[in-house]
Amino acid sequence: MKKLILTTVIALSTLVASAQVMFVTTYDGDQVENMDKITANMGVGYMVSDVFTLGAVRAKDAAGKDGYEIFARYNLPMVDGMFAMIQVPTEDMSANLQVGAGMSFSVWRYLYLEPNYTMPAKTDANGKREGEFRIGIGYRF
C-alpha cells in the first residue's frame, strides 16, 4: 500500500511540475478610471496540456453581483496562438454559456495580449445573440 501511495504522489508531482499556470484578466472599459479596469475580471488558468486550459475568472452576473465563471480553452492547431473558448458562470450554466475565439500574441517574454470575441450560446428574450469584443492580458509561467 505504501508503494502505491508513493508511486501516485511521484506521478502527480511530475504532472504538476510540467504544467503551466497562467493569470488572465480582461480590460473592462465600463469601469471608472482606476485599477478596476484591469483587475475586475482577473482569473487563473491551469494548462492541462499544450492545447487545453482550464480556469476560473471573477465576473459580475446580470444583477451586478460578484461571482466566478469557469473557462476552458482549446488552442487551435491551424494557426499558432489562436484559441477557441467556452466560459460559463457557476450558477445557471446552460442558460449563460458563452462561446468564442481569440488570438494570443506574445508581447514580452511571458506576457501576452489576447483579443477575443465571445457571444452567448442562446438567444436573449428579444431573439438576439449579441457578442462582445474584449482585450485580454495573460501572464504565463
Side-chain angles (χ1 to χ4, degrees):
M1 185 66 174
K2 289 181 182 179
K3 289 182 182 181
L4 179 63
I5 293 172
L6 181 62
T7 304
T8 304
V9 168
I10 290 173
L12 290 176
S13 67
T14 58
L15 177 68
V16 172
S18 66
Q20 195 170 16
V21 176
M22 63 189 297
F23 289 106
V24 294
T25 189
T26 304
Y27 179 79
D28 191 355
D30 295 338
Q31 298 287 333
V32 295
E33 288 293 330
N34 58 16
M35 275 308 281
D36 283 348
K37 283 187 173 282
I38 303 285
T39 61
N41 301 319
M42 223 163 174
V44 63
Y46 177 77
M47 295 182 75
V48 178
S49 67
D50 289 341
V51 295
F52 192 67
T53 305
L54 287 173
V57 293
R58 192 174 91 183
K60 291 190 184 285
D61 62 5
K65 190 173 94 175
D66 280 335
Y68 287 92
E69 295 185 353
I70 299 167
F71 73 88
R73 263 190 199 185
Y74 180 75
N75 294 338
L76 300 171
M78 299 167 282
V79 179
D80 190 32
M82 190 171 188
F83 59 87
M85 62 182 281
I86 295 175
Q87 189 166 330
V88 294
T90 54
E91 297 176 2
D92 299 329
M93 286 185 175
S94 63
N96 298 317
L97 177 75
Q98 299 264 340
V99 295
M103 194 76 174
S104 187
F105 299 101
S106 179
V107 177
W108 179 71
R109 293 190 74 181
Y110 308 117
L111 184 67
Y112 290 83
L113 186 64
E114 299 176 336
N116 59 66
Y117 183 80
T118 58
M119 63 187 290
K122 290 187 175 181
T123 58
D124 62 6
N126 299 329
K128 294 183 179 180
R129 261 194 322 191
E130 293 187 16
E132 185 178 11
F133 178 75
R134 302 178 193 167
I135 302 289
I137 302 168
Y139 189 80
R140 302 176 189 168
F141 59 98

